[in-house]
Amino acid sequence: MKKLFSLLLTVLMVLTLAACGNEPADDHNDVISGSPKDLTVLTAEEACHELDHILGEPDKLVGTEIKMSGEYVALEGTEAGVVYHICVVSDPDTGESQGMEFILMDGAVYPDLGDTFTLAGTLEIYEENGDHYCHLVDAEIID
């Protein structure tokens, strides 16, 4: 239970701090919008860093297909009926974790809480209550 609480707290922090338009987390000049990004070929630590970069500079990556693996977490929003679906990548060696919100294609079934899965979707920016956020849309569970 303590691990789940820690994970949920981390995800909440990610959602709070992942507003689009933030300063870049680090300098990745090799990022090209539209080029697919496969985070499943990276180590957990590298995937966390790459997600941090994506969330820090989403404008450069809008429309990019991103493939990632992680643990499923769902958080209820402050408005009734709003649920945020998140894929969280965790590195057990460093304790670092990073999450990406996603929306599955119409009719798709979301995983069970805590399930590990792989998904691919297209990065998009959306506005909610005056703030900008990033998520993967038309996402598909691959594994």
Side-chain angles (χ1 to χ4, degrees):
M1 186 64 163
K2 186 176 181 181
K3 182 178 176 183
L4 179 59
F5 177 77
S6 175
L7 182 61
L8 289 174
L9 183 59
T10 300
V11 171
L12 284 173
M13 288 174 40
V14 166
L15 286 176
T16 303
L17 298 175
C20 297
N22 291 343
E23 290 296 316
D26 49 24
D27 187 20
H28 283 210
N29 293 324
D30 59 340
V31 175
I32 300 172
S33 180
S35 299
K37 293 198 141 304
D38 185 354
L39 306 185
T40 64
V41 298
L42 304 176
T43 66
E45 183 178 13
E46 291 169 332
C48 286
H49 287 270
E50 188 61 25
L51 277 173
D52 188 47
H53 170 69
I54 291 167
L55 293 170
E57 295 187 287
D59 294 342
K60 293 183 178 182
L61 296 166
V62 169
T64 301
E65 182 177 312
I66 298 173
K67 180 179 176 184
M68 61 185 293
S69 295
E71 185 176 334
Y72 176 66
V73 176
L75 298 174
E76 289 187 32
T78 55
E79 297 178 24
V82 175
V83 177
Y84 299 99
H85 305 280
I86 303 163
C87 180
V88 177
V89 177
S90 297
D91 180 5
D93 295 332
T94 64
E96 183 179 1
S97 62
Q98 187 63 272
M100 174 69 80
E101 182 186 352
F102 67 95
I103 299 173
L104 292 178
M105 291 185 189
D106 289 340
V109 177
Y110 286 90
D112 291 329
L113 289 175
D115 280 357
T116 300
F117 67 107
T118 300
L119 73 107
T122 304
L123 186 69
E124 185 177 87
I125 296 173
Y126 70 98
E127 185 177 334
E128 184 175 288
N129 298 325
D131 292 317
H132 292 89
Y133 300 95
C134 313
H135 61 182
L136 300 179
V137 295
D138 295 327
E140 179 179 16
I141 295 179
I142 299 168
D143 197 14

